[in-house]
Amino acid sequence: MDWRAPVMDYCERQSSAFWAEPANALTNFAFVIAAAAAFVLWRRRGGADYPALALIIVTASVGVGSFIFHTIATRGAMLLDVIPIAIFIYGYFLLALRRYFRLPMAPAAALTLAFAAISFFATTIEALNGSVGYLPALAALAIFAALLWPRGERRATAQALAAAALIFAISLAFRTIDRAICPAFPLGAHVLWHMLNACVLWLLLRAAILADRDQASPIQNAKEPTAA
């Protein structure tokens, strides 16, 4: 495979020039903003939740990697776009199983590997403008929200995951129609994919950070001193 081959997959890009996708490139800073906002919340919550911090760093790298891809636009640069996204998806899936459902590491890791295998198979299906590969992640969000909803102490997390799933579904729709609307709207819809996904990642990070203390076990809560 020629890693230097140009990628011309988006309406906005009409040449292989570095700045041929200014809107697609600049909207990636929404991910950096989402990461910065999550970092502020992380610090306010004590700054000791290192799994969440790792996902915050990955979120920032999603923005940086996608910016590089939408400027250099080669097959090699595409790796800087897709790898951080994959790390976030699988990392958050594992964190959700551990933090929201209290699964031990072994079964949580096994389920994450199975989820990764399903997601990889989905990427081989050529349909929906390449959006099929993200459908397992959307399904996981919806299923997690549904499973957590009946649990009173998990209701806030369930609501956050449900909202993230709804926004993600909308962003997937815009990603899917990007090529189809090129003749009528040359800028395309990929910019909305970036901005809406930044909102999705912010909601997921916020849910994880807040759940780290708010959803502690009764034993842990009993050990914490109460206000006078």
Side-chain angles (χ1 to χ4, degrees):
M1 178 181 292
D2 183 3
W3 295 108
R4 295 174 297 178
V7 176
M8 308 281 289
D9 285 347
Y10 306 98
C11 294
E12 190 180 19
R13 179 166 289 278
Q14 298 298 312
S15 74
S16 59
F18 178 87
W19 205 240
E21 296 180 66
N24 284 346
L26 291 175
T27 48
N28 283 296
F29 284 101
F31 293 104
V32 179
I33 294 172
F39 181 74
V40 171
L41 177 61
W42 179 82
R43 287 289 300 272
R44 289 176 178 172
R45 300 288 290 188
D49 183 0
Y50 295 108
L53 178 60
L55 289 174
I56 291 171
I57 294 171
V58 173
T59 298
S61 71
V62 168
V64 174
S66 187
F67 175 84
I68 294 173
F69 170 56
H70 285 288
T71 50
I72 297 176
T74 63
R75 291 189 180 276
M78 185 186 295
L79 296 178
L80 299 176
D81 180 39
V82 299
I83 291 177
I85 294 173
I87 292 174
F88 185 93
I89 290 173
Y90 304 138
Y92 198 93
F93 188 91
L94 178 62
L95 180 141
L97 293 177
R98 296 277 291 152
R99 182 164 298 181
Y100 305 153
F101 297 98
R102 304 294 181 188
L103 287 185
M105 177 56 77
L111 286 172
T112 302
L113 289 174
F115 172 69
I118 294 171
S119 299
F120 177 78
F121 173 76
T123 62
T124 65
I125 301 174
E126 296 183 4
L128 302 179
N129 193 26
S131 297
V132 176
Y134 292 101
L135 292 181
L138 176 60
L141 280 177
I143 291 170
F144 285 172
L147 291 175
L148 291 171
W149 199 276
R151 308 182 187 187
E153 75 280 8
R154 301 286 200 268
R155 181 61 58 83
T157 299
Q159 290 173 341
L161 297 185
L166 176 61
I167 297 173
F168 190 40
I170 296 171
S171 72
L172 270 176
F174 282 120
R175 187 186 191 279
T176 300
I177 67 173
D178 181 60
R179 291 182 183 176
I181 66 173
C182 288
F185 190 61
L187 180 63
H190 200 73
V191 293
L192 296 173
W193 162 256
H194 288 162
M195 292 186 289
L196 290 173
N197 276 353
C199 294
V200 170
L201 267 58
W202 154 247
L203 287 172
L204 295 179
L205 290 171
R206 182 179 182 275
I209 294 168
L210 296 180
D212 182 47
R213 286 179 60 87
D214 291 347
Q215 297 178 0
S217 67
I219 294 177
Q220 289 175 310
N221 286 331
K223 291 181 179 179
E224 293 183 359
T226 56

